Amino acid sequence: MPVPCGSGCGRNAFMRRPKTGDVLCKECFFLAFETEIHNTIQQEELFRSGEKVAIAASGGKDSTVLAHVMNVLNKRYNYELDLVLLSIDEGITGYRDDSLKTVAQNRDDYGMPLRVLSYQELYGWTMDRIVAEIGRSNNCTFCGVFRRQALDRGARLMEVDCVATGHNADDIAETVIMNILRGDTARLRRCCDIKTGSKVSDTIPRVKPLKYSYEKEIVMYAHFKKLVYFSTECVFAPNAYRGHARAFLKDLEKVRPSAIMDIIHAGEQLQIKGTVKKPVRGVCGRCGFVSSQQPCKACVLLEGLNRGLPKLGIGKKSKGERMVALQEQQMREKAHLVKNDF
């Protein structure tokens, strides 16, 4: 027997929302999903009229839905935003080169200008080459650090007012779990912020309009809207630490669907004791981009690759300093031997 839509529109329901449990028809689900994102944007004051906003576009479901919804809301509620697409090419053969075709399709569908920056262009390395050097145990560290800075570099080149990323509720809950397991107090509180950076601190702000949107609902929205997106997992991702947090969260969600929002709200309310030393976010003295250490992690990792010490930025800072000191000592000894030969 057909179940009527819970909104009272008179149509039959076709789904039960994973987030709220409401039974809705397709049209009411679309409206509810979009309205929740609009309410998040308004309540958190993510944008101002006339701003130029770069949407971080990877071609995946999150960024594709974000681009579509932002395009819809910008017209429906007259945000008066100048929307553009910013993509990062990490140089992963068989993955990123294909997903960028989807981004190009988004550009054509929504009429948004697109800028693509590559790791090769910015750092002189591709992820394929980095993995060949470092192996598959720590490759996500390099990719994550370089990608975050690449977005900052791209945003500065495009002269945008802020960057909108496709982080959803599941992503943020996973990050909370990861930071708890690692004991990372610095990132634990910051990872729940819906807006980071500010023009006051000379950093381009980043916002997360999908912060309270469930991954399942994003997939359903993309599917029933027939949006074109790239769904293949990164070839280097299976060994990522995040995968364990994701599997744990999925098990929790089966028992308690509200677990995702519960974890996010818990992370938002966490307070760090005043006696705990917290890193101060500033600007890297080498590259000039935001960092909580000197030099920034991206510069340390890049230096390691260029020195032939790919593990330089992995682990504790003191370990990296010892590696550099040992390499410099070996170079001095080699130079001394060459000198004695003459």
Side-chain angles (χ1 to χ4, degrees), residues 299-318:
C299 286
V300 173
L301 292 174
L302 186 59
E303 180 184 3
L305 290 171
N306 292 333
R307 278 176 172 265
L309 298 172
K311 295 186 178 181
L312 178 63
I314 305 298
K316 295 182 178 180
K317 185 178 179 182
S318 56

Side-chain angles (χ1 to χ4, degrees), residues 88-293:
I88 306 301
D89 179 5
E90 300 94 342
I92 303 174
T93 304
Y95 172 69
R96 184 56 69 209
D97 47 355
D98 291 335
S99 70
L100 286 175
K101 297 176 183 177
T102 305
V103 176
Q105 182 67 48
N106 293 337
R107 173 200 61 199
D108 297 338
D109 290 343
Y110 310 129
M112 299 179 188
L114 168 65
R115 178 70 182 268
V116 179
L117 291 177
S118 68
Y119 281 9
Q120 180 65 46
E121 176 185 350
L122 296 174
Y123 307 114
W125 289 80
T126 64
M127 276 308 300
D128 286 343
R129 285 183 59 207
I130 291 173
V131 172
E133 290 286 330
I134 193 68
R136 296 201 174 201
S137 59
N138 293 296
N139 54 80
C140 289
T141 298
F142 283 83
C143 194
V145 171
F146 286 163
R147 181 176 175 80
R148 283 191 290 272
Q149 190 187 90
L151 285 174
D152 286 338
R153 289 174 178 267
R156 186 174 292 183
L157 287 172
M158 297 184 79
E159 299 181 334
V160 300
D161 296 294
C162 74
V163 177
T165 63
H167 292 94
N168 59 48
D170 296 57
D171 295 330
I172 296 170
E174 290 165 10
T175 305
V176 171
I177 294 171
M178 290 169 61
N179 288 331
I180 289 175
L181 294 177
R182 291 189 298 213
D184 194 335
T185 56
R187 291 189 178 92
L188 185 54
R189 179 63 184 85
R190 194 171 68 231
C191 71
C192 290
D193 292 341
I194 196 168
K195 189 171 187 176
T196 57
S198 66
K199 294 179 181 178
V200 176
S201 59
D202 198 29
T203 58
I204 297 174
R206 293 192 193 181
V207 298
K208 306 168 187 172
L210 303 183
K211 177 182 175 180
Y212 300 114
S213 300
Y214 274 32
E215 183 176 56
K216 286 182 179 178
E217 296 196 355
I218 290 173
V219 172
M220 294 172 73
Y221 184 90
H223 175 72
F224 290 110
K225 279 284 186 180
K226 295 182 171 52
L227 302 182
V228 178
Y229 66 92
F230 187 76
S231 57
T232 303
E233 185 180 42
C234 174
V235 295
F236 301 136
N239 297 317
Y241 182 55
R242 179 176 288 274
H244 302 294
R246 180 176 293 122
F248 175 64
L249 184 64
K250 294 303 179 188
D251 289 340
L252 282 179
E253 188 184 8
K254 292 176 185 176
V255 179
R256 182 184 175 90
S258 65
I260 294 173
M261 293 303 299
D262 293 341
I263 291 172
I264 293 175
H265 291 321
E268 291 172 338
Q269 298 302 317
L270 283 174
Q271 293 183 352
I272 309 300
K273 295 175 71 174
T275 55
V276 176
K277 185 179 180 181
K278 307 181 191 68
V280 179
R281 301 192 80 186
V283 175
C284 174
R286 290 189 186 178
C287 65
F289 287 91
V290 63
S291 173
S292 57
Q293 67 179 55

Side-chain angles (χ1 to χ4, degrees), residues 333-342:
E333 291 175 352
K334 185 177 180 180
H336 181 68
L337 290 174
V338 173
K339 182 178 179 181
N340 289 341
D341 288 341
F342 291 94

Side-chain angles (χ1 to χ4, degrees), residues 18-37:
K19 181 178 180 180
T20 63
D22 296 336
V23 288
L24 298 174
C25 67
K26 190 182 297 186
E27 290 73 16
C28 289
F29 166 64
F30 292 154
L31 181 60
F33 183 83
E34 293 163 359
T35 301
E36 286 182 3
I37 296 173

